[in-house]
Amino acid sequence: MKAIGQMPRPKSGSTFELLSWFYMRVSGLLMALMITFHLLWMHLIVGLDNINFSVVADRWMYPITGTLWRVFDLLLLIFAVTHGMNGIRFSIEDYVHNRSWQLFLKTAVAILLLFLLFIGSYIVFVFEV
Amino acid sequence: MTVISSTKDFVVRTATYKGGVGHASWILHRLGGIGIAVFLILHIIDIFMIVLGKEMFDFFLFIYHQPIFRPAIWGLMFGIFYHAVNGVRIIIHDFFPSTFRYQREMVLGAWVIIGILVVLTVGMDIFNWITYAGSH
């Protein structure tokens, strides 16, 4: 394994890492509020034992509130998946120094990101009771 | 510059590094983040199960209703609220660097907010659990 001090410096000339750093803060701040709302709603208003098909279906069913819930859920999905998978990428870069393994794991995370966004947004857009 | 030469060296250095409250926060933030990401994958898949219809969706919920999932969900509540509140603290430090002088105080404040949110959600879960179990 290569020692950390011998790792190549990140390629300069790309703003990707800067944007990634900034995006983690913007999405993180928004999610801190959205997920606090989500958890207080599910645990205090709905109650864990009451969660079932009807709870999810009813929320998405009504004309205006249904659309608002779907927009909220879609935004939360996009923020959570991109923020979470980018965080996993940070962890891979921190702990996996073998180039081949790193490429393999980061590719797997990228595929997982697309897969989760696909099945998650499919439900938000397509679901009908 | 410190060169970390092996996994064992990494573990020893992580455990003994005198980084104080910022270092401990960083470790919890990383561990919590990874845990939340794992649950997120599970959560998106369980919501996707709704395509199978009411009967199948409600049937699969029995997994979450297993007793072993109760403490797991409470751990998750702590992990999520920790990551959220500590994350906001990091953002404040990043964009207002002068606040680093108050890092210790802000960590303490973060723990108070995390504590309130965890007690609210987990407390309500336990209350509902006891009353729900009593009604059967």
Side-chain angles (χ1 to χ4, degrees):
Chain A
M1 194 175 87
K2 248 186 180 177
I4 283 170
Q6 299 161 358
M7 290 293 286
R9 278 171 175 278
K11 285 184 197 126
S12 56
S14 163
T15 56
F16 180 78
E17 291 304 333
L18 179 65
L19 288 173
S20 155
W21 178 90
F22 191 67
Y23 179 74
M24 290 306 259
R25 271 126 194 97
V26 173
S27 58
L29 194 58
L30 290 169
M31 271 200 295
L33 299 170
M34 293 171 80
I35 291 191
T36 300
F37 170 75
H38 173 69
L39 292 178
L40 292 179
W41 183 270
M42 296 313 276
H43 289 251
L44 301 187
I45 312 288
V46 177
L48 273 196
D49 292 302
N50 301 321
I51 298 173
N52 58 23
F53 181 89
S54 307
V55 167
V56 186
D58 285 355
R59 213 163 71 168
W60 283 351
M61 215 170 61
Y62 298 101
I64 295 163
T65 53
T67 309
L68 290 174
W69 273 116
R70 284 183 202 239
V71 170
F72 179 85
D73 289 339
L74 183 67
L75 284 176
L76 198 48
L77 170 82
I78 293 169
F79 287 145
V81 171
T82 49
H83 184 108
M85 293 305 120
N86 199 31
I88 297 293
R89 181 179 69 88
F90 291 165
S91 306
I92 292 169
E93 288 178 350
D94 280 352
Y95 307 124
V96 181
H97 299 139
N98 179 296
R99 279 179 170 278
S100 310
W101 271 109
Q102 201 182 92
L103 182 67
F104 171 76
L105 290 171
K106 281 159 81 172
T107 307
V109 166
I111 293 168
L112 187 60
L113 181 147
L114 293 174
F115 172 73
L116 294 172
L117 279 182
F118 176 75
I119 67 166
S121 52
Y122 176 83
I123 285 300
V124 174
F125 284 118
V126 171
F127 179 78
E128 275 186 71
V129 185
Chain B
M1 186 180 184
T2 307
V3 174
I4 294 171
S5 56
S6 68
T7 307
K8 189 187 163 204
D9 188 31
F10 169 76
V11 172
V12 170
R13 279 177 191 280
T14 302
T16 59
Y17 177 64
K18 301 280 193 295
V21 73
H23 180 231
S25 299
W26 183 85
I27 293 173
L28 270 177
H29 201 79
R30 172 63 53 99
L31 287 175
I34 292 170
I36 296 162
V38 171
F39 176 73
L40 176 68
I41 295 166
L42 195 64
H43 189 35
I44 292 171
I45 293 171
D46 73 52
I47 291 297
F48 183 72
M49 291 295 172
I50 212 163
V51 290
L52 300 176
K54 187 176 174 14
E55 285 73 26
M56 288 305 277
F57 184 81
D58 287 346
F59 171 75
F60 277 115
L61 280 176
F62 88 93
I63 298 170
Y64 285 128
H65 291 154
Q66 295 301 305
I68 194 170
F69 254 93
R70 297 274 168 182
I73 286 170
W74 300 336
L76 187 69
M77 287 309 103
F78 169 72
I80 292 172
F81 285 130
Y82 181 83
H83 201 83
V85 178
N86 190 56
V88 172
R89 180 183 68 80
I90 293 168
I91 294 168
I92 294 170
H93 288 325
D94 279 343
F95 291 105
F96 306 97
S98 61
T99 59
F100 259 118
R101 285 175 55 197
Y102 307 105
Q103 192 190 26
R104 287 191 72 89
E105 289 79 0
M106 284 170 70
V107 165
L108 192 67
W111 276 99
V112 171
I113 298 169
I114 295 157
I116 292 169
L117 291 168
V118 171
V119 166
L120 270 178
T121 50
V122 173
M124 195 64 166
D125 289 350
I126 293 173
F127 176 78
N128 282 337
W129 189 26
I130 293 166
T131 50
Y132 182 81
S135 70
H136 281 259

